[in-house]
Amino acid sequence: MQKITYAAECPECASAVTIEAEVRVSEIIECTDCRSELEIVSTEPPELALAPEVEDDWGE
């Protein structure tokens, strides 16, 4: 069985990023070209944004 994928543009380097159909909004993926962490902000249509930086007080 073939996986369904979509393509979106990396907001950092403009490369095409392949996204699997099962992803969820807010999931973090990595651009295979520039290694930037990207957040999925929409699945229809697929849209990416740079992932927010981890802040020092997370987990406290």
Side-chain angles (χ1 to χ4, degrees):
M1 187 169 170
Q2 187 174 12
K3 286 186 173 183
I4 297 173
T5 60
Y6 301 102
E9 183 176 286
C10 174
E12 183 70 15
C13 69
S15 295
V17 178
T18 301
I19 304 170
E20 294 183 9
E22 306 87 43
V23 296
R24 296 181 184 162
V25 171
S26 300
E27 195 169 316
I28 304 296
I29 62 172
E30 186 177 88
C31 176
T32 55
D33 282 359
C34 69
R35 308 311 251 182
S36 295
E37 289 190 336
L38 306 171
E39 180 179 10
I40 297 171
V41 294
S42 171
T43 56
E44 292 188 28
E47 188 176 337
L48 302 171
L50 291 175
E53 297 287 328
V54 176
E55 296 185 21
D56 291 338
D57 62 348
W58 283 35
E60 291 183 15

